[in-house]
Amino acid sequence: MAQTKSDPNYKIIAENRRARFDYAIEEDIECGIILVGSEVKSLRENGANIAESYASVEDGELYLINGYIAPFQQARVWKHEERRRRKLLVSRKQLAQLWNATQRKGMTLVPLVMYFNDRGLVKLKIGVAKGKKNHDKRETEAKRDWARQKQRLLKEN
């Protein structure tokens, strides 16, 4: 997913920056998303938020729940619902792994980033995560602060 200058279509639409603070991400999976035309046009104008959303395996299919895509103003008749359930596209093998992680291991599926890939298609990166406790969050923050302080000291010397 590294952005290069040769990919003019690659563009981050929405990012869930809080996810890495609240959850310990064990692996991430790139998946496609089924959208209607007015949703894609709205995404091109940066009208999305995935901070409060999550993914769920229901009836053998993967869905993005509570993801917000702003309404497209020029769409008159064919408007979309802003917070509808959107189907995510993964292989059967990946779907079985995700179901196993959520049902048996108690993991959570957290959307990390929504972006246009190099071909101009909307993709969603989902993290298979375990929730952090408060002491884990403090520990992560302390490590980050120490790394920052260490860089400052090395830069000064």
Side-chain angles (χ1 to χ4, degrees):
M1 193 182 97
Q3 182 181 5
T4 61
K5 295 189 188 239
S6 64
D7 293 340
N9 294 330
Y10 180 88
K11 178 181 169 189
I12 292 178
I13 302 165
E15 191 172 7
N16 189 355
R17 301 183 74 191
R18 186 114 180 120
R20 297 202 187 273
F21 180 75
D22 290 335
Y23 298 96
I25 310 291
E26 301 212 351
E27 68 172 305
D28 55 353
I29 296 172
E30 180 183 73
C31 55
I33 183 168
I34 296 180
L35 300 171
V36 296
S38 63
E39 289 174 330
V40 176
K41 290 182 178 190
S42 177
L43 290 176
R44 294 227 180 260
E45 295 178 351
N46 288 338
N49 184 4
I50 57 171
E52 305 97 33
S53 61
Y54 62 97
S56 175
V57 179
E58 299 171 3
D59 301 326
E61 295 178 343
L62 184 63
Y63 289 99
L64 175 67
I65 299 169
N66 203 27
Y68 174 79
I69 296 179
F72 186 60
Q73 297 302 321
Q74 285 78 13
R76 302 252 186 263
V77 179
W78 307 107
K79 290 190 175 190
H80 64 271
E81 289 181 43
E82 297 162 11
R83 292 198 180 269
R84 72 177 178 89
R85 290 170 17 139
R86 293 170 177 90
K87 188 174 175 184
L88 301 176
L89 305 171
V90 291
S91 68
R92 287 185 184 175
K93 184 178 177 182
Q94 286 176 326
L95 186 66
Q97 289 172 348
L98 293 174
W99 184 87
N100 186 28
T102 56
Q103 299 299 316
R104 294 192 180 148
K105 297 179 184 172
M107 306 291 261
T108 306
L109 302 178
V110 182
L112 301 174
V113 63
M114 183 185 285
Y115 59 94
F116 287 107
N117 70 355
D118 57 340
R119 292 176 43 205
L121 301 174
V122 178
K123 297 291 182 178
L124 183 70
K125 187 165 276 200
I126 290 182
V128 179
K130 194 166 204 81
K132 285 185 183 176
K133 303 278 191 260
N134 279 337
H135 61 86
D136 293 333
K137 292 178 189 179
R138 285 192 295 269
E139 183 180 320
T140 303
E141 195 171 337
K143 283 181 183 176
R144 188 177 61 228
D145 289 345
W146 168 241
R148 201 176 292 146
Q149 189 176 5
K150 191 165 56 173
Q151 286 298 325
R152 275 194 212 116
L153 291 172
L154 289 172
K155 193 174 182 180
E156 289 173 4
N157 292 335

